[in-house]
Amino acid sequence: DQQVKQNSPSLSVQEGRISILNCDYTNSMFDYFLWYKKYPAEGPTFLISISSIKDKNEDGRFTVFLNKSAKHLSLHIVPSQPGDSAVYFCAAGRGSSNTGKLIFGQGTTLQVKP
Amino acid sequence: DVKVTQSSRYLVKRTGEKVFLECVQDMDHENMFWYRQDPGLGLRLIYFSYDVKMKEKGDIPEGYSVSREKKERFSLILESASTNQTSMYLCASSSPASGDNNEQFFGPGTRLTVL
């Protein structure tokens, strides 16, 4: 049972345009959501997160939107840069869990073309 | 600066060998995790530990075991390596004190090939 899903395996955008990466989840008990970025042969690095009590969080070029009724979140990158080319994972967790366990999606490979 | 290190970046082993993957974190984190990453499958949790000597199975524990004798070190053991365990293995750590989002910090990964 895949609780966190990224249905688009890949996305290609032109430099300077907007990249939109999507993520769906099934468990309404998740308290927070995170986005990670991963380059080949490196570990994932944290990008941005959002609490379930918010619907938007912004950090520079990166904005995450949360639609709780649709159980959907998206990551917007504006403007996209070639260095943003990587695999992006969304993840979800519950605040009541003291183990810090996260559920990850399958990942979306973003290619930003110069 | 936050640091999670893994003992090897690349490893080649033969079928049936016992394999040890080591992970060390210097952040005094309570929680540690082992994942494997395979194309199209994302990050799948193998085992995690929320305290010294404590461990819990993740989603795909079969064929693996773990050891956490010290807070900073979490080892993943493949008792008898098989070719379907060829993968990228990622270690992570986190702490409830880090904030509300339980951000996990990842090591660089170990690319394991089983021949």
Side-chain angles (χ1 to χ4, degrees):
Chain A
D1 179 27
Q2 188 80 26
Q3 295 188 61
V4 177
K5 293 183 182 180
Q6 294 175 256
N7 292 315
S8 298
S10 63
L11 175 67
S12 181
V13 300
Q14 208 65 37
E15 180 179 8
R17 306 294 290 268
I18 184 172
S19 295
I20 300 176
L21 297 101
N22 295 302
C23 181
D24 296 297
Y25 62 96
T26 57
N27 189 343
S28 59
M29 302 299 290
F30 287 135
D31 296 302
Y32 50 83
F33 304 87
L34 303 86
W35 283 94
Y36 280 83
K37 174 180 178 179
K38 185 182 184 301
Y39 292 119
E42 293 184 14
T45 55
F46 170 74
L47 202 53
I48 192 169
S49 65
I50 187 167
S51 164
S52 63
I53 62 173
K54 296 186 176 181
D55 54 19
K56 177 182 175 181
N57 188 28
E58 195 171 351
D59 184 2
R61 296 187 297 115
F62 303 92
T63 303
V64 56
F65 295 92
L66 176 63
N67 182 334
K68 286 186 69 176
S69 60
K71 294 190 178 69
H72 176 83
L73 65 152
S74 60
L75 174 68
H76 292 212
I77 306 174
V78 184
S80 302
Q81 299 173 355
D84 296 329
S85 297
V87 179
Y88 289 79
F89 293 99
C90 68
R94 295 185 60 180
S96 58
S97 166
N98 64 353
T99 65
K101 185 178 172 184
L102 296 175
I103 310 296
F104 284 84
Q106 304 96 312
T108 297
T109 301
L110 172 66
Q111 183 186 27
V112 180
K113 297 179 179 178
Chain B
D1 197 19
V2 164
K3 196 118 181 171
V4 179
T5 56
Q6 295 183 227
S7 50
S8 304
R9 296 299 301 272
Y10 300 93
L11 210 51
V12 179
K13 296 292 181 181
R14 297 216 171 266
T15 301
E17 280 192 79
K18 191 169 186 176
V19 182
F20 293 86
L21 302 182
E22 305 286 342
C23 175
V24 177
Q25 50 96 2
D26 65 359
M27 297 162 281
D28 201 35
H29 282 171
E30 292 83 357
N31 306 323
M32 296 189 75
F33 308 84
W34 274 108
Y35 297 89
R36 60 178 284 177
Q37 183 201 357
D38 301 287
L41 298 177
L43 301 179
R44 294 184 292 166
L45 183 63
I46 304 171
Y47 267 97
F48 64 102
S49 168
Y50 53 89
D51 201 351
V52 176
K53 296 193 186 295
M54 304 302 289
K55 59 186 179 185
E56 284 198 23
K57 293 179 180 179
D59 301 316
I60 51 165
E62 296 79 19
Y64 304 93
S65 62
V66 290
S67 171
R68 190 156 182 214
E69 297 297 318
K70 293 185 177 181
K71 190 175 185 181
E72 67 270 17
R73 187 179 298 268
F74 192 34
S75 303
L76 180 69
I77 303 149
L78 287 65
E79 296 290 342
S80 177
S82 63
T83 55
N84 63 12
Q85 292 178 310
T86 292
S87 187
M88 167 71 88
Y89 289 87
L90 293 159
C91 174
S93 71
S94 73
S95 171
S98 295
D100 294 333
N101 65 4
N102 268 334
E103 176 188 345
Q104 292 183 12
F105 297 86
F106 283 84
T110 296
R111 170 68 67 184
L112 172 67
T113 302
V114 183
L115 302 175

